């Protein structure tokens, strides 16, 4: 039994990583089995997604205790996360198009489609095993990767529902809800990510990898018989052309007095970042809760509140600043940030650049609002992100080859990964 299945602070995430280390060597063999309690996987995704711990830290630690060949699969999975982030960063319009499609579908999809989508999401599809997975997601905020693949495929290719509504359902309920990993995994299951490749749920695969306890109620299972599941031809609505990666500095230049430091949900580790050296900035913490769809799950909100509190306590201690300002949840983000900045006489607001997603969607508005007040907004990006995202212009395997060649994964505690 895991000591903490949902690590929501940095301390808990580091402890979970230590607990997982002995399992990392058998991860390649065991990771696909979907067992109660999910003992074969790290459960670090929410902490990684909110950057309570970084990909680089996880890989360094795993490689410090295992030879690379023994943990190659695990390293590769962590790097998948970086790849998806880079892929979307190079094509931000895919995210925008998906969000627009969700709004459009909610307003325009036929009533029976919307009703069925609600039933399936509520765990009332009639296929007992899929309904158990839906309930697991609703109550815990987590699903095993294989269960996510089955469930997304069930939604798209068996229920024939729009993938965007399924992705939105996941996005509102996963503790690790990530604009890149979630959207692009759904697109991959739908057959939009890799030409000619669709992921089809198969009863035989489910019976092979799901613990029998998931399948003790066989109601509706016949709908998943291998011969009955046929791929839906899903239409592409997005432009997937690569755009230049916006140039974002990797360190802060210029004066460091009268600074505000923006803490947001995209990066919970400011003290170990290019901004870690700042002295006594005014801390301004915002949380996505106020911006998010009000239907965002309560489980997710509670997790984020705990994670956010942890970030604020660490930041206060590292930067020797007073307790962070918490801009009003009632106001638009830009407005409340600008008010806090003015109140504290900040001449610059600095922060870690949010990746493509709901927060970065607001950066343009925040920047304009600040500039109108004569306050500069300066965002910096971690070196890991700048270096690796730029390589995600093609498929995962060319990306992996490059990462593998350039990062020189070694089993050496001091120099296990060198970025570039
Ligand atoms: C339809 C669908 C939706 C998904 N949505 C998300 C999401 O919103 N957020 C998210 O973090 N992951 C998402 N994933 C990827 C994956 O399912 C989760 O990262 C993983 O299940 C998290 O559990 P874990 O931490 O125990 O992973 P582990 O198996 O222990 O893997 C270690 C870490 O590697 C990364 N990782 C592992 N598998 C993948 C993968 N296939 N793609 C990207 N990163 C991976 C995660 O950061 C994970 O924490 C999705 C997958 C599918 C099929």
């Amino acid at each position: 039994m895991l000591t903490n299945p949902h690590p929501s602070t940095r301390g808990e995430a580091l402890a979970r990583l230590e607990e997982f280390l002995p399992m990392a060597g058998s991860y390649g063999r065991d990771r696909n089995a979907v067992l109660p309690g999910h003992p074969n996987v790290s459960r670090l995704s929410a902490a990684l997604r909110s950057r309570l711990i970084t990909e680089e830290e996880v890989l360094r630690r795993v490689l410090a205790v295992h030879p690379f060949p023994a943990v190659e699969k695990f390293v590769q999975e962590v790097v998948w996360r970086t790849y998806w982030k880079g892929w979307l960063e190079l094509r931000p319009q895919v995210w925008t198009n998906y969000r627009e499609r969700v709004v459009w579908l909610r307003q325009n999809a036929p009533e029976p489609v919307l009703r069925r989508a609600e039933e399936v999401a509520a765990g009332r599809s009639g296929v007992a095993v899929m309904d158990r997975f839906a309930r697991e997601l609703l109550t815990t905020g987590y699903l095993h990767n294989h269960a996510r693949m089955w469930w997304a495929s069930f939604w798209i290719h068996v229920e024939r529902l729009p993938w965007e509504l399924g992705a939105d359902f996941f996005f509102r309920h996963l503790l690790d809800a990530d604009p890149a990993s979630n959207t692009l995994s759904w697109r991959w299951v739908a057959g939009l990510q890799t030409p000619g490749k669709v992921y089809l749920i198969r009863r035989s695969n489910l019976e092979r990898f799901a613990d029998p306890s998931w399948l003790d109620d066989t109601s509706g299972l016949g709908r998943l018989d291998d011969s009955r599941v046929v791929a839906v031809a899903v239409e592409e609505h997005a432009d997937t052309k690569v755009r230049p990666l916006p140039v974002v500095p990797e360190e802060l230049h210029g004066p460091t007095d009268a600074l505000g430091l923006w803490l947001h949900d995209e990066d919970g580790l400011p003290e170990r970042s290019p901004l870690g050296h700042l002295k006594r900035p005014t801390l301004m913490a915002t949380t996505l809760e106020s911006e998010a769809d009000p239907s965002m799950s309560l489980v997710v909100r509670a997790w984020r509140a705990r994670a956010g509190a942890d970030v604020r306590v660490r930041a206060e201690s590292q930067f020797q600043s007073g307790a962070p300002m918490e801009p009003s949840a009632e106001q638009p983000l830009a407005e409340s940030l600008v008010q806090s900045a003015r109140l504290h006489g900040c001449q610059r607001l600095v922060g870690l650049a949010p990746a493509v997603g709901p927060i970065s969607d607001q950066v343009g508005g925040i920047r304009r609002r600040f500039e109108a007040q004569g306050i500069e907004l300066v965002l910096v990006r971690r070196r890991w992100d700048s270096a690796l995202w730029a390589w995600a212009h093609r498929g995962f395997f060319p990306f992996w080859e490059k990462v593998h060649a350039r990062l020189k994964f070694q089993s050496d505690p001091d120099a296990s990964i060198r970025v570039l």
Side-chain angles (χ1 to χ4, degrees):
M1 201 61 185
L2 305 184
T3 49
N4 189 339
H6 307 294
S8 60
T9 65
R10 175 159 170 80
E12 288 172 6
L14 291 170
R16 174 63 197 137
L17 175 59
E18 291 305 310
E19 187 178 38
F20 173 70
L21 281 179
M23 272 97 84
S26 47
Y27 175 88
R29 186 192 64 207
D30 297 338
R31 73 192 178 106
N32 279 328
V34 184
L35 309 179
H38 312 297
N40 300 332
V41 288
S42 74
R43 306 287 298 258
L44 283 170
S45 53
L48 275 164
R49 188 267 173 272
S50 295
R51 284 241 154 114
L52 302 176
I53 189 168
T54 65
E55 291 102 309
E56 200 175 342
E57 285 180 302
V58 170
L59 296 185
R60 261 185 215 285
R61 189 69 192 112
V62 165
L63 286 163
V65 295
H66 291 282
F68 172 68
V71 288
E72 179 168 359
K73 196 68 216 170
F74 183 75
V75 174
Q76 212 175 59
E77 290 305 314
V78 174
V79 168
W80 260 105
R81 166 180 172 73
T82 307
Y83 169 72
W84 283 141
K85 296 302 279 181
W87 195 99
L88 197 61
E89 214 63 27
L90 292 167
R91 302 157 185 89
Q93 70 280 9
V94 172
W95 162 255
T96 313
N97 179 267
Y98 149 65
R99 293 314 296 167
E100 287 169 357
R101 290 277 306 158
V102 171
V103 173
W104 187 89
L105 285 161
R106 282 196 190 137
Q107 289 165 358
N108 296 290
E111 189 48 38
V113 170
L114 294 175
R115 207 172 331 113
R116 185 63 184 160
E118 244 176 61
E119 280 170 2
V120 177
R124 295 197 307 271
S125 74
V127 179
V129 60
M130 292 296 128
D131 292 343
R132 287 181 73 162
F133 288 140
R135 283 195 296 276
E136 183 184 14
L137 175 58
L138 291 169
T139 53
T140 69
Y142 181 81
L143 273 187
H144 184 283
N145 181 59
H146 218 154
R148 296 183 200 206
M149 289 159 62
W150 291 327
W151 205 88
S153 183
F154 170 65
W155 177 281
I156 298 169
H157 301 294
V158 178
E159 288 288 342
R160 305 193 158 230
L161 291 165
W163 73 266
E164 296 94 333
L165 294 182
D168 180 58
F169 167 60
F170 267 29
F171 197 67
R172 288 181 288 110
H173 288 274
L174 282 169
L175 299 181
D176 61 31
D178 184 88
S181 289
N182 188 56
T183 314
L184 303 178
S185 297
W186 274 84
R187 282 175 52 86
W188 175 78
V189 172
L192 296 171
Q193 268 318 104
T194 320
K197 242 186 148 178
V198 170
Y199 178 76
L200 286 185
I201 180 170
R202 299 280 186 206
R203 180 175 174 162
S204 54
N205 182 268
L206 194 70
E207 287 173 341
R208 180 167 166 216
F209 288 104
D211 185 80
S213 62
W214 292 103
L215 293 162
D216 51 9
D217 181 349
T218 56
S219 314
L221 201 55
R223 290 183 64 203
L224 309 181
D225 283 349
D226 294 13
S227 58
R228 288 183 65 183
V229 181
V230 179
V232 168
V234 176
E235 193 182 340
E236 176 67 277
H237 292 278
D239 158 18
T240 58
K241 240 188 3 262
V242 171
R243 306 280 156 91
L245 191 66
V247 179
V248 177
E250 288 173 11
E251 53 193 282
L252 187 64
H253 300 284
T256 53
D257 54 336
L259 273 191
L261 173 59
W262 180 21
L263 308 175
H264 54 68
D265 289 353
E266 284 280 312
D267 198 308
L269 206 46
E271 72 271 32
R272 284 172 171 249
S273 82
L275 301 177
H277 64 285
L278 297 180
K279 290 276 174 288
R280 300 181 195 282
T282 300
L283 301 178
M284 291 181 217
T286 62
T287 154
L288 255 190
E289 272 183 61
S290 50
E291 282 73 52
D293 187 324
S295 56
M296 175 76 70
S297 122
L298 292 177
V299 180
V300 172
R301 281 169 187 250
W303 189 93
R304 288 209 182 139
R306 281 195 303 276
D310 176 58
V311 176
R312 292 193 277 279
V313 168
R314 278 186 283 110
E316 225 181 297
S317 139
Q318 166 76 16
F319 297 108
Q320 300 162 8
S321 299
M325 301 281 305
E326 307 230 7
S328 158
E330 309 303 315
Q331 284 180 321
L333 190 60
E335 196 48 50
S336 75
L337 269 175
V338 102
Q339 278 187 14
S340 306
R342 284 179 55 194
L343 193 69
H344 283 79
C346 297
Q347 284 160 15
R348 298 171 101 193
L349 179 69
V350 301
L352 291 160
V356 167
I359 301 181
S360 81
D361 287 347
Q362 306 211 31
V363 164
I366 296 173
R367 194 181 294 285
R368 282 191 295 280
R369 189 70 188 81
F370 271 74
E371 278 169 5
Q373 297 292 323
I375 307 173
E376 202 187 357
L377 172 65
V378 186
L379 298 174
V380 299
R381 192 190 273 147
R382 291 176 185 274
R383 187 155 173 66
W384 174 273
D385 297 341
S386 293
L388 273 68
W389 288 352
W391 301 337
H393 49 276
R394 291 197 290 139
F396 177 74
F397 288 98
F399 175 82
W400 168 247
E401 269 171 31
K402 201 153 189 172
V403 170
H404 189 223
R406 302 289 280 276
L407 264 58
K408 302 188 184 7
F409 296 120
Q410 297 162 7
S411 302
D412 167 357
D414 297 324
S416 54
I417 304 176
R418 271 177 252 125
V419 180
L420 298 181

